[in-house]
Amino acid sequence: MSAQAKITLATLRAMKREGRKFSVLTCYDCTMARLIEGAGVESILVGDTYAEVCLGHPTTLPATMDQMITITQAVRRGAPNVYLIGDMPYLSYQVSVEEAIRNAGRFMSEGGCDAVKIEVDSRLAPTVETMSAASIPIVAHLGLRPQSIHVHGGYRVQGRDVRDARRLMNEAAMMERAGAVMLLLEAVPLELAERIATHTELPVIGCVSGSRTDAQVVVLHDVLGLGAGHPPRSVKRYAELNETCSAAFRAYAADVRAGRFPIDALTASLGDEALSGLDAAAPDGEVVASDRGA
Ligand code: KIV
């Protein structure tokens, strides 16, 4: 694994200016974070998709602040140099701007994040402005907003007609004015994503929105072919870990059943002296394994 220099907002802004694309992966634990940073991926999003891919919920809504902080800390331990974005969970920023600042502050100070992401529309612009004024770098997530799934009425492409596309372009401009440091566009048509990316100096991360943005983000389990999720058809699988893991688990269970694992020659063993000591009668009052029911 190659050591990676610390990626900062300045790095990502320079990449945008120079027309160099960067990649973002979601991540939820230290082991994967280590591998992601080692592979040279510039940024990690600790996504609230954690609730879906790791906890098995049907939506992201059940993710909590405490869970997100715990996994963010684990990811940061594994990847000290990536640009780390913490995803603020449902109702951690919508209730009041005071709560939003306090919760975002936890991602920054306890989680070691470089920025936090919130799902926004025009009504959240004042929140973005106040949070930015409190020195919280915001990634403004526009388009399909999974925390509003029950308002959207399903996982649908956003900005398909002219009116909706204009609304999204306006919202993107509004977020830039409010002080957001980056934009994330989920499930918008590729030409709209391109327009938004070319009309702003902010790095724009695309998610299922075509190749014309400055960066891409994908859910880790989707690119690894891991888990029960059904990724959008544009997501490319770079591995088939469901099959790899299942084969390993089957082989392990078969070895245990057949007595092939573990291998005794590789296991600690008592010497002859200790063995004969064990076989001798235990002195009165001494606790032996069978006394504990073991
Ligand atoms: O939580 C998440 O993983 C996300 C990405 C899908 C953009 O928000």
Side-chain angles (χ1 to χ4, degrees):
M1 269 180 233
S2 62
Q4 180 173 285
K6 173 74 188 131
I7 307 286
T8 64
L9 185 58
T11 320
L12 302 180
R13 281 197 176 132
M15 289 181 81
K16 170 160 182 144
R17 276 198 307 278
E18 293 158 13
R20 291 189 291 134
K21 291 182 188 279
F22 61 91
S23 49
V24 187
L25 276 171
T26 70
C27 183
Y28 320 97
D29 69 69
C30 178
T31 304
M32 285 294 174
R34 218 173 259 141
L35 293 172
I36 291 170
E37 178 166 306
V41 171
E42 288 85 357
S43 176
I44 287 178
L45 167 68
V46 184
D48 60 358
T49 40
Y50 168 73
E52 297 173 314
V53 295
C54 298
L55 301 183
H57 292 292
T59 70
T60 60
L61 271 56
T64 67
M65 268 306 294
D66 285 344
Q67 288 166 351
M68 294 300 294
I69 294 296
T70 300
I71 63 170
T72 301
Q73 290 168 332
V75 168
R76 184 46 110 193
R77 282 193 284 273
N81 293 318
V82 295
Y83 189 83
L84 186 63
I85 305 168
D87 201 6
M88 295 192 66
Y90 183 55
L91 295 191
S92 68
Y93 56 95
Q94 294 95 333
V95 175
S96 73
V97 75
E98 287 79 11
E99 273 191 51
I101 291 174
R102 221 175 291 288
N103 285 326
R106 289 190 65 194
F107 274 101
M108 303 298 292
S109 63
E110 296 174 40
C113 284
D114 296 295
V116 299
K117 175 172 84 60
I118 63 176
E119 298 182 8
V120 294
D121 62 15
S122 55
R123 292 167 292 187
L124 267 287
T127 302
V128 172
E129 191 162 359
T130 311
M131 292 174 80
S132 302
S135 302
I136 294 160
I138 309 283
V139 178
H141 179 156
L142 294 155
L144 175 62
R145 290 166 293 128
Q147 291 176 13
S148 303
I149 195 63
H150 300 304
V151 178
H152 289 314
Y155 293 96
R156 295 207 178 86
V157 173
Q158 304 292 304
R160 267 190 192 281
D161 60 50
V162 176
R163 198 160 148 248
D164 213 28
R166 286 223 171 97
R167 176 185 59 79
L168 279 170
M169 289 178 73
N170 286 337
E171 285 179 344
M174 210 180 265
M175 294 306 147
E176 183 167 14
R177 282 197 300 276
V181 298
M182 257 193 272
L183 303 178
L184 187 151
L185 301 175
E186 179 163 357
V188 306
L190 59 99
E191 300 86 352
L192 176 59
E194 180 182 26
R195 279 198 186 206
I196 292 175
T198 49
H199 281 85
T200 173
E201 286 178 7
L202 304 183
V204 176
I205 305 168
C207 177
V208 203
S209 299
S211 67
R212 302 177 188 174
T213 49
D214 309 303
Q216 293 296 325
V217 62
V218 238
V219 170
L220 179 66
H221 290 53
D222 291 348
V223 295
L224 293 180
L226 186 61
H230 301 288
R233 71 191 162 120
S234 65
V235 171
K236 182 171 169 187
R237 288 160 91 106
Y238 290 84
E240 296 296 342
L241 290 199
N242 277 343
E243 283 158 34
T244 307
C245 293
S246 296
F249 301 150
R250 276 194 301 272
Y252 163 69
D255 275 359
V256 171
R257 276 182 218 115
R260 288 187 297 262
F261 176 86
I263 297 165
D264 285 347
L266 302 177
T267 308
S269 109
L270 286 171
D272 289 345
E273 198 181 326
L275 259 182
S276 45
L278 262 190
D279 290 340
D284 276 355
E286 189 178 317
V287 176
V288 293
S290 57
D291 291 329
R292 293 193 296 265

